[in-house]
Amino acid sequence: MSSTDTLFSDALFSAALAAQARAHAPYSRFRVGAALRDEAGAVHAGCNVENAAYPVGTCAEAGAIAAMVAAGGRRIAAILVLGDGEALVTPCGACRQRIREFAAPHTPIHVAGPQGVRRTFTLDELLPASFGPDNLA
């Protein structure tokens, strides 16, 4: 990883960690933070927001994507998802599809725990042979 990649990865980790601390997870108590870098290099973060009506909650990745779009970003250059526990906290299926809307197959998806990045996948590894905007062109 180049020093620029490390710098961006550190910025994503810091933003995801701050977002995770603000998560609204009174039911599961499982806080998740996510941060992404858009095509202009801006960082956008989100956290999970649970709701007493469980299907109405929002994932951290969805929050970060919404923040990016609201700020004018249109492409995800990289994304980091941060969760506690021993298991890797990868994006859920719905969030993989949300990421696909704004990312290329080679886009890095960093999966992190409290101490840092645990593993990096490409979008294509997590969502192979996916359906996306180009299918509707």
Side-chain angles (χ1 to χ4, degrees):
M1 195 181 309
S2 74
S3 61
T4 302
D5 290 338
T6 301
L7 187 62
F8 277 128
S9 194
D10 289 348
L12 291 177
F13 181 80
S14 294
L17 190 61
Q20 182 192 32
R22 294 186 292 270
H24 178 74
Y27 308 106
S28 72
R29 307 231 186 293
F30 192 78
R31 297 170 174 264
V32 180
L36 63 84
R37 181 171 40 93
D38 70 17
E39 72 275 15
V43 173
H44 309 279
C47 60
N48 59 319
V49 179
E50 294 179 351
N51 189 289
Y54 282 102
V56 183
T58 304
C59 295
E61 300 92 327
I65 291 168
M68 175 191 76
V69 171
R74 292 293 178 257
R75 296 294 301 161
I76 297 172
I79 188 166
L80 183 143
V81 181
L82 170 67
D84 294 330
E86 295 300 315
L88 293 176
V89 179
T90 60
C92 71
C95 283
R96 292 174 193 206
Q97 190 64 46
R98 286 180 181 103
I99 293 166
R100 171 66 177 89
E101 184 71 16
F102 299 98
H106 63 275
T107 300
I109 300 174
H110 306 291
V111 178
Q115 283 73 43
V117 174
R118 293 178 170 168
R119 185 154 173 206
T120 299
F121 298 90
T122 64
L123 175 59
D124 202 38
E125 288 176 304
L126 291 180
L127 192 66
S130 65
F131 181 87
D134 33 326
N135 293 98
L136 300 174

